[in-house]
């Protein structure tokens, strides 16, 4: 599972390199305007299109064009690796969610306690973090307020969002469950949300790792792996 | 607790079914799954394929749009050699001449595990009841486009006209641009799977696969092959040899 995330990020990046344009709605291609163009591959604005003129019936509107540029495309392995790694995220992830719900882990450790979640305390925690005034975790592993909120956001919102938007891009799955296709406003919207949710996850990983290091790397690693803190 | 018996009828039935399943499964798997060549990525592809076939409702319809939703539609050649090789079949004199005569000399062969192997002209295909659908083409590269397709349901040709034999499991398409790929029977007999000869109200144009291309709306664009010339029904998956898509590292199943 720990390996699946970097595998997903790297393969996802390679897939995005193939068509580094993001759109909103169902449709987006090189002949329609993009929401965002990322200069991350030779395919960025390659301009290798030969117009073949308007189609028979929709004169003036939709056009067709033939691509004359040999694009960068490593999607053969990148797509297969992406979907293989996704299994290693989705299956243990589902087990974690079920276990967390039934063992009371979420209730005890992730849910902010009664009276804990006040704007005042949240603000203080944010300010403390920004000033890098991070207290080493106390002996019994208790998450801080901001930490709880972040974990809840990642576990219950952003990670499920990447999975759902991923499924919403599948022609077979959206045929079976059309609601998925419409939930995010279309195939291209799902793709765009998928990208930004991943950006959030990568940022989370960076901050999370920095915090682990800052709050006592060795002790935290021991706590994560063996579950004991001295 | 009442006396627990080790051997209940239900247990026996379940164990028996599981054992039979365990014995039958490897054979079923070998016959119905695309080859992996021992490659871990192909095994992952097969896991996804099996999960889709197991968990998704069979032959559900892909979303259809209104003609007003039709968008600009890029045409790409699956085979980049088209761009660089002047002797590529799609640049040939024969194809150009065929195109100029409205593909009067074009024929589609349907053979393999069918009761009545047949050869169809374009006019023959157009005599079947036509289906027109406005659907989204989703390319593995990441782009999408909406187009209107007119053609005959592949299932109509295979099941009603040619007659599938009981051992039939896969349908392989041989294309004029040397492309070979296949789909399973579930997708081949899907009501939206067409042998399409029309696009956006006109004849299918050369960049989009004239005279006849496939539309498989439940898979990625690369399974909707262009320039189809021969349809072969098989009991085992034909991987297309070294020109085949799987051997070049692409997933055979592209429903995701």
């Amino acid at each position: 599972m720990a390996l699946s995330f970097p595998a997903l990020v790297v393969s996802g990046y390679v897939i995005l390199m193939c068509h580094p344009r993001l759109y909103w709605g169902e449709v987006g291609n090189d002949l329609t305007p993009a929401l965002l163009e990322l200069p991350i591959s030779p395919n960025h604005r390659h301009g290798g299109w030969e117009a073949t003129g308007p189609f028979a019936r929709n004169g003036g509107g939709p056009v067709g064009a033939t691509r004359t540029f040999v694009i960068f495309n490593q999607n053969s392995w990148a797509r297969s690796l992406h979907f293989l790694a996704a299994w290693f995220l989705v299956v243990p992830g589902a087990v974690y969610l079920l276990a967390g719900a039934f063992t009371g882990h979420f209730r005890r450790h992730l849910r902010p306690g009664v009276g804990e979640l006040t704007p005042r305390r949240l603000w203080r925690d944010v300010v403390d973090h920004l000033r890098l005034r991070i207290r080493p975790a106390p002996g019994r592993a208790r998450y801080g307020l901001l930490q709880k909120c972040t974990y809840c956001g990642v576990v219950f919102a952003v990670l499920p969002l990447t999975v759902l938007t991923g499924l919403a891009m599948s022609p077979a799955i959206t045929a079976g469950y059309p609601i998925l296709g419409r939930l995010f406003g279309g195939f291209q919207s799902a793709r765009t949300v998928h990208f930004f949710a991943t950006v959030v996850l990568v940022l989370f990983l960076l901050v999370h790792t920095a915090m682990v290091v800052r709050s006592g790397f060795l002790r935290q690693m021991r706590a994560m792996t063996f579950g004991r803190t001295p | 607790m009442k006396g627990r018996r080790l051997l209940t009828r239900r247990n026996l039935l379940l164990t028996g079914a599981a054992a039979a399943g365990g014995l039958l499964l490897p054979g079923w798997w070998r016959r119905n799954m695309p080859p992996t060549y021992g490659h871990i990525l192909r095994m992952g592809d097969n896991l996804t394929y099996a999960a889709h076939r197991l968990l998704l409702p069979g032959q559900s319809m892909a979303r259809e749009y209104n003609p007003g939703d039709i968008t600009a539609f890029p045409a790409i050649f699956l085979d980049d050699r088209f761009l660089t090789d002047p002797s590529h079949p799609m640049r040939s004199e024969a194809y150009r001449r065929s195109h100029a005569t409205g593909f009067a000399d074009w024929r589609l062969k349907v053979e393999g595990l069918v009761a009545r192997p047949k050869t169809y002209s374009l006019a023959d295909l157009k005599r079947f009841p036509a289906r027109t659908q406005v659907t989204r083409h989703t390319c593995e590269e990441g782009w999408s486009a909406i187009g209107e397709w007119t053609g005959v349901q592949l299932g109509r040709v295979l099941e009603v006209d040619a007659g599938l034999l009981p051992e039939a499991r896969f349908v392989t398409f041989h294309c004029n641009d040397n492309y070979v790929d296949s789909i399973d029977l579930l997708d081949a007999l899907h009501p939206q799977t067409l042998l399409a000869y029309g696009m956006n109200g006109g004849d299918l144009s050369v960049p989009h696969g004239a005279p006849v291309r496939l539309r498989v709306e439940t898979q990625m664009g690369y399974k909707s092959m262009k320039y189809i010339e021969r349809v072969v029904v098989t009991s085992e998956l034909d991987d297309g040899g070294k020109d085949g898509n799987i051997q070049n590292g692409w997933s055979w199943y592209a429903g995701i």
Side-chain angles (χ1 to χ4, degrees):
Chain A
M1 194 176 176
L3 275 178
S4 80
F5 187 70
L8 281 162
V9 171
V10 170
S11 57
Y13 188 81
V14 173
I15 293 169
L16 187 63
M17 282 174 76
C18 186
H19 192 77
R21 290 161 59 93
L22 296 169
Y23 314 87
W24 201 255
E26 283 278 34
V27 165
N29 58 59
D30 280 302
L31 310 177
T32 66
L35 202 65
L36 189 64
E37 292 182 275
L38 303 163
I40 56 169
S41 87
N43 299 354
H44 174 65
R45 298 185 180 164
H46 63 71
W49 292 94
E50 193 176 280
T52 49
F55 287 132
R57 202 162 70 182
N58 294 275
V63 292
T66 302
R67 190 167 66 204
T68 55
F69 176 80
V70 179
I71 62 161
F72 167 88
N73 185 342
Q74 292 294 317
N75 282 359
S76 52
W77 63 265
R79 278 170 49 84
S80 291
L81 177 62
H82 202 72
F83 304 140
L84 176 63
W87 280 109
F88 287 92
L89 183 81
V90 169
V91 175
V95 172
Y96 167 77
L97 281 180
L98 286 176
F102 284 110
T103 60
H105 167 71
F106 292 154
R107 201 162 13 88
R108 271 180 282 123
H109 299 296
L110 284 193
R111 191 178 65 178
V114 184
E116 195 183 351
L117 191 62
T118 61
R120 230 183 105 96
R121 299 183 72 161
L122 194 62
W123 175 246
R124 208 178 51 201
D125 211 11
V126 170
V127 170
D128 277 359
H129 276 80
L130 287 179
R131 291 194 178 143
L132 293 180
R133 216 189 301 148
I134 294 138
R135 287 173 293 272
R140 282 288 292 153
R142 289 281 305 273
Y143 297 143
L145 180 58
L146 194 58
Q147 198 178 5
K148 283 182 181 177
C149 293
T150 314
Y151 288 177
C152 280
V154 166
V155 168
F156 301 117
V158 189
L159 272 172
L161 192 64
T162 55
V163 174
L164 285 177
T165 48
L167 296 177
M169 283 186 267
S170 152
I173 295 171
T174 51
Y177 302 98
I179 176 82
L180 263 176
R182 296 176 190 247
L183 194 59
F184 302 100
F187 167 81
Q188 292 294 350
S189 310
R191 184 168 171 263
T192 300
V193 174
H194 196 74
F195 170 73
F196 283 108
T198 307
V199 171
V200 170
L201 286 179
V202 171
L203 290 177
F204 163 75
L205 184 70
L206 292 177
V207 174
H208 177 66
T209 315
M211 298 291 287
V212 169
V213 171
R214 246 198 105 78
S215 60
F217 183 70
L218 278 178
R219 209 171 51 82
Q220 293 282 42
M221 289 319 276
R222 265 202 303 274
M224 279 183 223
T225 45
F226 301 113
R228 254 179 295 128
T229 47
Chain B
M1 197 195 288
K2 278 187 178 170
R4 265 175 62 192
R5 277 175 298 172
L6 202 58
L7 274 179
T8 61
R9 185 189 307 239
R10 186 188 297 168
N11 274 346
L12 264 178
L13 281 174
L14 281 178
T15 316
L23 286 175
L24 292 175
L25 192 65
W28 178 89
W29 191 269
R30 212 175 28 249
R31 275 195 310 277
N32 289 279
M33 284 289 150
T36 63
Y37 316 106
H39 198 301
I40 185 159
L41 291 182
R42 300 290 83 80
M43 295 174 198
D45 296 341
N46 284 5
L47 176 62
T48 302
Y49 174 52
H52 277 211
R53 286 295 176 257
L54 206 66
L55 300 175
L56 291 177
Q59 293 194 336
S60 14
M61 301 288 270
R63 183 172 174 191
E64 293 193 15
Y65 304 79
N66 299 313
D69 298 327
I70 293 172
T71 68
F73 210 118
I76 59 167
F77 287 90
L78 290 170
D79 179 2
D80 283 333
R81 276 171 294 186
F82 171 80
L83 299 173
T84 49
D85 179 7
S87 66
H88 190 274
M90 307 321 298
R91 288 179 183 276
S92 71
E93 190 53 40
Y95 181 74
R96 223 179 313 222
R97 223 177 313 119
S98 186
H99 180 223
T101 60
F103 295 103
D105 61 340
W106 175 87
R107 294 291 180 272
L108 178 76
K109 278 197 203 111
V110 175
E111 53 195 39
L113 295 173
V114 288
R116 298 168 291 277
K118 286 195 172 182
T119 302
Y120 301 91
S121 68
L122 195 53
D124 292 336
L125 290 184
K126 287 181 177 174
R127 268 194 289 274
F128 284 107
R131 180 183 161 86
T132 294
Q133 60 199 30
V134 182
T135 51
R136 192 189 70 230
H137 181 92
T138 311
C139 183
E140 46 75 22
E141 292 171 9
W143 55 268
S144 56
I146 292 177
E148 184 195 76
W149 310 99
T150 302
V152 50
Q153 289 171 319
L154 178 65
R156 167 123 202 151
V157 173
L158 291 182
E159 260 191 326
V160 182
D161 208 50
L164 285 175
L165 294 179
E167 313 89 85
R169 278 203 174 77
F170 298 97
V171 183
T172 311
F173 302 86
H174 296 261
C175 308
N176 192 6
D177 56 351
N178 298 330
Y179 202 80
V180 183
D181 204 354
S182 55
I183 55 177
D184 68 5
L185 224 46
L186 191 85
D187 276 336
L189 303 181
H190 189 288
Q192 286 171 319
T193 299
L194 305 183
L195 289 169
Y197 44 74
M199 178 184 180
N200 294 352
D203 288 336
L204 196 63
S205 64
V206 171
H208 290 286
V212 169
R213 76 174 299 173
L214 187 69
R215 291 300 311 166
V216 185
E217 307 296 358
T218 48
Q219 294 205 41
M220 284 287 156
Y222 69 84
K223 300 300 279 195
S224 290
M225 286 155 269
K226 299 169 175 177
Y227 318 107
I228 294 178
E229 294 200 310
R230 199 153 62 92
V231 178
V232 185
V233 180
T234 60
S235 61
E236 277 172 33
L237 195 146
D238 173 3
D239 71 359
K242 66 173 173 47
D243 278 337
N245 234 351
I246 333 177
Q247 294 219 15
N248 288 313
W250 289 88
S251 174
W252 174 79
Y253 178 68
I256 190 162

